[in-house]
Amino acid sequence: MLMRTDPFREMDRIVQQLSGSSGTWSKPSVMSMDAYREGEEYVIAFDVPGVSPEAIDIDVERNMLTVKAERRPVAKADSVKVELSERPLGVFSRQVMLADTLETERIQADCDAGVLTLRIPIAERAKPRKISIGGESGRRQISG
């Protein structure tokens, strides 16, 4: 149901973590995700802790799903002196090539507890079905 498009994306994510660089709109950091099938839906969950739903952009063009999110620094008063800042800021993105067997026009998105969850229905044509064999000697059903 899911096709990876960039084999070097994980390497980029590791390099960015080690270098401590944050993502920009022209070169976003990689967003972690899980993908699995649940019943008649394909589910993709993205980690977006500290990102408001208004700062998340989800696009589908043909079968390419693109998710971008921006984690901005929390506004601080002039009297605040930051002692430690480890949480990554900037732009995070992930592109996923979806199979033709998914109904991309019916994607549902929900964001809860720092996880963006996309539910994509599996197309009727991709579901298992019975095929009947016609003829005078009788009909049989086989799994298709």
Side-chain angles (χ1 to χ4, degrees):
M1 297 291 171
L2 175 74
M3 295 174 265
R4 293 196 179 260
T5 57
D6 186 355
F8 300 103
R9 193 81 172 185
E10 185 66 16
M11 183 71 88
D12 287 343
R13 184 184 67 77
I14 292 168
V15 169
Q16 283 178 342
Q17 280 182 336
L18 292 174
S19 68
S21 63
S22 60
T24 64
W25 282 105
S26 61
K27 184 151 177 60
S29 297
V30 177
M31 184 182 309
S32 299
M33 67 172 244
D34 291 333
Y36 53 93
R37 182 175 175 159
E38 184 177 277
E40 301 300 317
E41 294 180 317
Y42 199 69
V43 181
I44 305 175
F46 299 92
D47 283 345
V48 290
V51 177
S52 69
E54 297 80 31
I56 299 172
D57 186 38
I58 306 167
D59 289 313
V60 176
E61 185 175 337
R62 299 189 186 195
N63 288 7
M64 181 64 72
L65 170 72
T66 303
V67 178
K68 281 190 177 183
E70 183 175 11
R71 185 178 308 126
R72 298 179 180 113
V74 177
K76 297 174 182 67
D78 291 338
S79 62
V80 173
K81 181 181 172 191
V82 177
E83 296 290 331
L84 180 65
S85 180
E86 293 181 344
R87 295 176 32 207
L89 301 173
V91 180
F92 301 84
S93 178
R94 192 70 182 251
Q95 283 192 314
V96 179
M97 180 66 96
L98 302 174
D100 290 333
T101 56
L102 299 174
E103 294 186 17
T104 57
E105 66 280 352
R106 294 182 44 215
I107 296 174
Q108 294 178 345
D110 181 47
C111 191
D112 184 40
V115 178
L116 171 67
T117 303
L118 303 182
R119 295 185 173 279
I120 311 166
I122 295 173
E124 207 52 47
R125 68 183 178 279
K127 296 176 184 174
R129 61 194 176 281
K130 297 283 185 184
I131 308 293
S132 60
I133 300 174
E136 294 298 319
S137 61
R139 295 181 179 256
R140 287 187 337 175
Q141 296 284 323
I142 61 172
S143 294

